[in-house]
């Protein structure tokens, strides 16, 4: 298939269809509206079901019901709407329901704004809803990568019986880029023998549930979940290492910001400064090891996290660097996007300071 | 020897956790008997609420999902859209359905979602210990209305069946009671009609069942049945509010 020009949100929706998603429950919120709009047209063409819910709360609970019934199901929203979905997300995690949640992040807190942001990092990776649970969080840096990751997200969700969040930002959702829909590598997936499909008189009854009234049972459930999360950490951590060889400064950035940082790296190179980048593709599980290894490189003098936030992911960079090298931060927030020039200036200031 | 009464296959052997005199047990049995009689158990998927009936998934002998507080109609929507041929029901109390889940039930009815809601109205939050519900009667005492519900402060109790009966795609809406044998028999008939209307694909169906809570009402089981009859029925009139024949 040749490359076609696709808008990020619509490409994400089509990728879900191609991955076999046949149920979509959503609610309007900018800047992700093209996802439900596209789904409303496309789902009937593939005998699927698009439903506009009365709220984000209802939408995620429809996802819960459909996922529990064994379907491939997705919802999408943007930051304030994702906050509303947190109840349903923790129930999905607790009941181990595979589903895909797309967050096209906008500025916050509160109503915030409608321009691109990365200020939902804490919410996505450190909990969001109540209780001990983890989401697999995928962070595409291009429309092509969004398409690839959305397709893989459904397989990951099914393999681990866990919700997967695809976290783009307003830029990924709204920009148009050339895209090629390629077949993603298929994983062997377990049968959904646990799903509530009606017994058809062929098996014992199935129950989808996250309630364990006996605290010892609830603790056991949590331990079992954490064994699963350990396996996800071992198998699914993804990272792009860029230009690390001989780098004096190593940027850590994801999503749209990583694209901007790549421009800054080229600009620095022209000035004779060697810079590299670690780009987490999975925000959870986080690629701590890649940063830890870079911290051990003799050439590396400092890390600089660049985010469209006041500094959220930088905390994980510090954890990984473990004091071996200084960790700096530069960010714009509230819908403002960093410029390569500003990143270059910050980097030069840091290197001056480090020297 | 002739069998006069037998436990329905629609219930598991798990012992109910309900308080003495609580009518949840009767209502569970009626729903289970109806599903057995209509031969729906092997295609039934129920949704349990948060509240006293939270363990309903242990009692109904069919596939079940446990929903978050108030969200059962949204969960049931997801299930029924995936398995349109199945018999889907939610079992919800008045705090769950009429308060935190008011939006979900109204919009499921508006869309004409083809499932059946068993709405158990005992005019109080039972599980959490007797707090005021949207359905608590004026003057009725609750742990968050210690002097009794004051209509000038907390408004007047919500009549859910009447409200939902204004929604065109709510095709079957009936309020019943289980305070005596005669009414229990009528309640079962209504529940059966609701499931039949669902399976005929008519639209959203709901049976509101007036129920007792001796523990939180501070009454004996017998006093509770009498209190329901004398206080709840005058405010919550029994009867059919919508039936499929009315749908043109």
């Amino acid at each position: 298939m040749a490359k076609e020009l696709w808008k990020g949100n619509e490409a994400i929706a089509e990728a879900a269809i191609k991955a076999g998603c046949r149920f979509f429950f959503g609610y309007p919120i900018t800047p992700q509206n093209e996802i439900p709009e596209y789904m409303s047209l496309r789902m009937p063409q593939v005998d699927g079901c698009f439903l506009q819910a009365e709220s984000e709360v209802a939408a995620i609970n429809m996802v819960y019901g459909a996922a529990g019934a064994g379907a491939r199901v997705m919802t999408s929203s943007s930051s304030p709407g994702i906050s509303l979905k947190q109840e349903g997300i923790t129930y999905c995690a607790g009941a181990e329901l595979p589903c895909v949640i797309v967050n096209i992040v906008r500025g916050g807190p509160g109503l915030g704004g409608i321009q691109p942001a990365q200020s939902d990092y804490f919410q996505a990776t450190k909990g969001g809803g109540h209780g001990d649970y983890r989401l697999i969080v995928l962070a595409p840096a291009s429309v092509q990568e969004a398409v690839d990751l959305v397709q893989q997200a459904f397989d990951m969700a099914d393999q681990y019986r866990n919700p997967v969040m695809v976290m783009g930002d307003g830029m990924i959702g709204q920009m148009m880029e050339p895209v090629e829909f390629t077949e993603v590598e298929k994983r062997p997936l377990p049968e959904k023998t646990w799903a509530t499909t009606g017994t058809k008189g062929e098996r014992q009854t199935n129950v989808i549930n996250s309630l364990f009234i006996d605290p010892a049972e609830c603790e056991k459930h949590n331990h079992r979940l954490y064994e699963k999360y350990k396996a996800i950490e071992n198998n699914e951590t993804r990272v792009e290492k860029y230009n690390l060889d001989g780098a004096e400064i190593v940027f850590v950035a994801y999503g749209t910001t990583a694209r901007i940082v790549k421009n800054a790296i080229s600009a620095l190179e022209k000035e004779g400064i060697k810079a590299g980048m670690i780009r987490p593709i999975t925000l959870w599980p986080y690629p701590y090891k890649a940063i830890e290894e870079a911290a051990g490189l003799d050439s590396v003098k400092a890390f600089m996290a660049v985010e469209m936030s006041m500094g959220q992911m930088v905390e994980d960079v510090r954890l990984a660097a473990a004091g071996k090298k200084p960790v700096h931060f530069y960010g714009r927030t509230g819908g403002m996007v960093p410029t390569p020039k500003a990143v270059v200036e910050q980097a030069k200031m840091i290197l001056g300071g480090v020297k | 020897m002739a069998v006069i009464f037998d436990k329905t296959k629609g219930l598991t052997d798990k012992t109910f956790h309900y308080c003495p005199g609580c009518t949840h047990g009767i209502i569970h049995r009626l729903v289970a008997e109806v599903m057995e009689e209509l031969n729906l158990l092997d295609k039934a998927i129920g949704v349990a609420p948060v509240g006293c009936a939270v363990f309903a998934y242990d009692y109904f002998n069919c596939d079940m999902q446990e929903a978050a507080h108030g969200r059962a109609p949204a969960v049931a929507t997801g299930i029924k859209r995936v398995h349109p041929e199945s018999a889907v029901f939610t079992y919800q109390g008045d705090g769950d359905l009429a308060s935190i889940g008011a939006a979900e039930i109204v919009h499921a009815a508006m869309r004409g979602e083809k499932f059946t809601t068993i709405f158990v109205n005992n005019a109080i939050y039972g599980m959490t210990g007797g707090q005021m519900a949207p359905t608590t009667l004026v003057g009725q005492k609750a742990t968050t209305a210690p002097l009794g519900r004051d209509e000038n402060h907390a408004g007047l109790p919500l009549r859910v069946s009447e409200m939902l009966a204004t929604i065109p795609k709510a095709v079957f809406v009936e309020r019943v009671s289980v305070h005596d044998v005669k009414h229990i028999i009528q309640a079962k008939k209504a529940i059966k009609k609701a499931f039949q209307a669902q399976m005929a694909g008519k639209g959203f169906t709901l049976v509101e069942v007036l129920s007792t809570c001796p523990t939180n009402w501070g009454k004996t089981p017998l006093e509770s049945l009498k209190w329901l009859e004398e206080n709840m029925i005058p405010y919550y009139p029994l009867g059919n509010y919508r039936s499929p024949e009315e749908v043109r």
Side-chain angles (χ1 to χ4, degrees):
Chain A
M1 194 177 145
K3 284 198 172 182
E4 295 170 351
L5 204 56
W6 279 80
K7 187 171 192 170
N9 281 336
E10 292 180 348
I12 284 169
E14 180 59 28
I17 299 273
K18 289 213 163 24
C21 171
R22 289 296 176 269
F23 293 85
F24 182 92
F25 304 98
Y27 187 82
I29 184 170
T30 308
Q32 61 83 53
N33 290 316
E34 294 82 359
I35 300 177
E37 285 167 354
Y38 186 90
M39 286 300 199
S40 70
L41 184 75
R42 193 76 174 92
M43 273 298 185
Q45 295 172 353
V46 292
D47 292 326
C49 173
F50 162 86
L51 197 60
Q52 182 167 325
E54 61 270 28
S55 67
E56 286 92 343
V57 175
I60 189 69
N61 281 285
M62 290 172 186
V63 167
Y64 178 102
R72 279 210 155 175
V73 56
M74 181 168 104
T75 186
S76 67
S77 193
S78 179
S79 310
I82 294 291
S83 292
L84 281 168
K85 287 187 197 291
Q86 292 303 329
E87 175 195 65
I89 292 173
T90 169
Y91 276 71
C92 285
E96 297 185 85
L97 295 180
C99 56
V100 175
I101 302 140
V102 177
N103 183 5
I104 301 298
V105 183
R106 62 187 241 184
L111 210 41
I114 59 169
Q115 300 297 328
Q118 295 180 317
S119 40
D120 294 358
Y121 180 89
F122 285 153
Q123 187 194 50
T125 64
K126 311 292 179 191
H130 59 277
D132 281 323
Y133 76 93
R134 291 292 190 182
L135 294 180
I136 300 170
V137 185
L138 309 175
S142 66
V143 177
Q144 180 66 58
E145 193 175 37
V147 159
D148 296 341
L149 289 178
V150 164
Q151 293 184 76
Q152 292 166 44
F154 285 95
D155 280 3
M156 284 184 185
D158 281 348
Q159 180 175 345
Y160 297 103
R161 277 191 70 178
N162 208 69
V164 177
M165 177 174 280
V166 177
M167 196 158 87
D169 53 63
M171 192 79 85
I172 296 291
Q174 291 298 321
M175 73 178 166
M176 292 184 86
E177 283 193 303
V179 166
E180 192 173 9
F181 289 95
T182 48
E183 283 271 310
V184 294
E185 202 184 317
K186 292 268 179 288
R187 307 172 175 225
L189 295 174
E191 289 284 313
K192 295 183 177 180
T193 52
W194 44 267
T196 57
T197 56
T199 64
K200 299 178 176 75
E202 291 164 0
R203 57 160 170 77
Q204 296 294 299
T205 55
N206 281 338
V207 175
I208 300 297
N209 181 33
S210 63
L211 175 64
F212 297 87
I213 202 74
D214 174 356
E217 285 299 312
C218 197
E219 187 185 48
K220 216 192 281 176
H221 175 59
N222 273 282
H223 279 291
R224 213 171 46 70
L225 288 179
Y226 266 72
E227 275 171 31
K228 177 172 88 176
Y229 299 152
K230 197 79 216 160
I232 296 171
E233 284 175 341
N234 290 337
N235 302 340
E236 305 298 342
T237 307
R238 295 183 194 193
V239 63
E240 180 193 356
K241 297 172 191 172
Y242 180 76
N243 223 29
L244 289 182
D245 196 23
E248 287 179 72
I249 185 162
V250 173
F251 296 106
V252 187
Y254 68 95
T256 291
T257 311
R259 304 270 292 268
I260 296 160
V261 166
K262 274 192 184 171
N263 287 341
I265 290 171
S266 306
L268 283 166
E269 200 162 10
K270 279 178 197 147
E271 298 188 40
I273 299 168
K274 200 101 209 290
M277 177 172 68
I278 289 172
R279 178 174 75 91
I281 299 169
T282 51
L283 299 184
W284 193 86
Y286 192 78
Y288 293 106
K289 209 172 148 216
I291 294 167
E292 195 186 317
E293 283 167 5
L297 296 176
D298 290 338
S299 70
V300 174
K301 292 172 181 160
F303 289 97
M304 178 175 151
V306 186
E307 300 174 57
M308 289 191 284
S309 80
M310 290 302 289
Q312 299 193 12
M313 183 193 67
V314 64
E315 294 191 2
D316 283 320
V317 181
R318 287 199 189 104
L319 275 176
K324 283 183 204 149
K325 297 285 161 67
V327 175
H328 301 267
F329 172 74
Y330 175 70
R332 297 295 302 272
T333 196
M336 297 299 287
V337 180
T339 61
K341 189 165 171 260
V343 174
V344 165
E345 280 166 12
Q346 288 290 323
K348 288 203 293 204
M349 216 152 70
I350 288 164
L351 286 175
V354 171
K355 280 169 190 168
Chain B
M1 206 158 61
V3 176
I4 305 295
F5 179 84
D6 206 3
K7 187 172 144 282
T8 168
K9 289 188 181 70
L11 292 174
T12 65
D13 290 333
K14 183 104 175 172
T15 308
F16 287 154
H17 70 281
Y18 297 112
C19 301
C22 166
T23 42
H24 263 306
I26 294 171
I27 302 164
H28 277 28
R29 175 170 63 78
L30 297 183
V31 173
E33 284 176 354
V34 163
M35 288 196 294
E36 187 188 7
E37 287 165 20
L38 295 177
N39 208 15
L40 296 177
L41 283 171
D42 62 357
K43 56 165 111 172
I45 307 168
V47 184
V50 169
C52 288
V54 69
F55 297 119
Y57 56 78
D58 278 339
Y59 307 139
F60 286 110
N61 195 15
C62 61
D63 277 3
M64 294 291 292
Q65 293 199 20
E66 170 57 40
H69 200 28
R71 316 297 174 223
V75 172
T77 297
I79 296 169
K80 186 77 182 194
R81 295 284 178 148
V82 173
H83 298 298
E85 75 295 344
S86 60
V88 176
F89 69 98
T90 72
Y91 187 103
Q92 302 178 257
D94 43 308
D96 185 273
L97 182 143
S99 190
I100 195 167
E104 282 79 4
I105 196 70
V106 166
H107 286 271
M110 183 206 75
R111 292 188 302 266
E113 295 294 343
K114 296 173 187 66
F115 62 81
T116 298
T117 291
I118 307 300
F119 168 41
V120 180
N121 178 3
N122 60 6
I124 202 128
Y125 282 81
M127 174 68 90
T128 44
Q131 293 81 12
M132 187 183 70
T135 44
T136 297
L137 296 178
V138 170
Q140 183 187 341
K141 287 183 179 168
T143 55
T144 50
L147 303 177
R149 181 174 185 156
D150 172 3
E151 69 165 279
N152 294 316
H153 179 71
L156 288 164
L158 195 61
R159 292 189 178 104
V160 168
S161 287
E162 287 86 336
M163 176 180 74
L164 293 178
T166 66
I167 298 173
K169 282 187 178 283
V171 295
F172 186 89
V173 179
E174 186 159 329
R175 184 184 287 121
V176 297
S177 176
V178 287
H179 67 280
D180 62 22
V181 173
K182 180 185 148 201
H183 286 90
I184 290 171
I185 291 166
Q186 285 172 358
K188 185 173 170 183
K189 280 183 186 157
I191 292 167
K192 197 170 211 169
K193 281 187 202 165
F195 272 94
Q196 283 168 330
Q198 177 195 164
M199 298 319 288
K202 298 285 184 189
F204 177 74
T205 55
L206 175 138
V207 181
E208 175 175 351
V209 189
L210 300 185
S211 178
T212 61
C213 183
T215 300
N216 289 300
W217 290 357
K219 293 177 173 24
T220 67
L222 279 176
E223 284 167 0
S224 297
L225 295 171
K226 198 160 182 294
W227 192 86
L228 184 161
E229 186 179 7
E230 290 175 357
N231 295 275
M232 289 184 73
I233 292 176
Y235 190 84
Y236 298 117
L238 305 183
N240 182 271
Y241 290 87
R242 291 294 297 273
S243 59
E245 289 73 34
E246 286 175 37
V247 182
R248 301 278 172 253

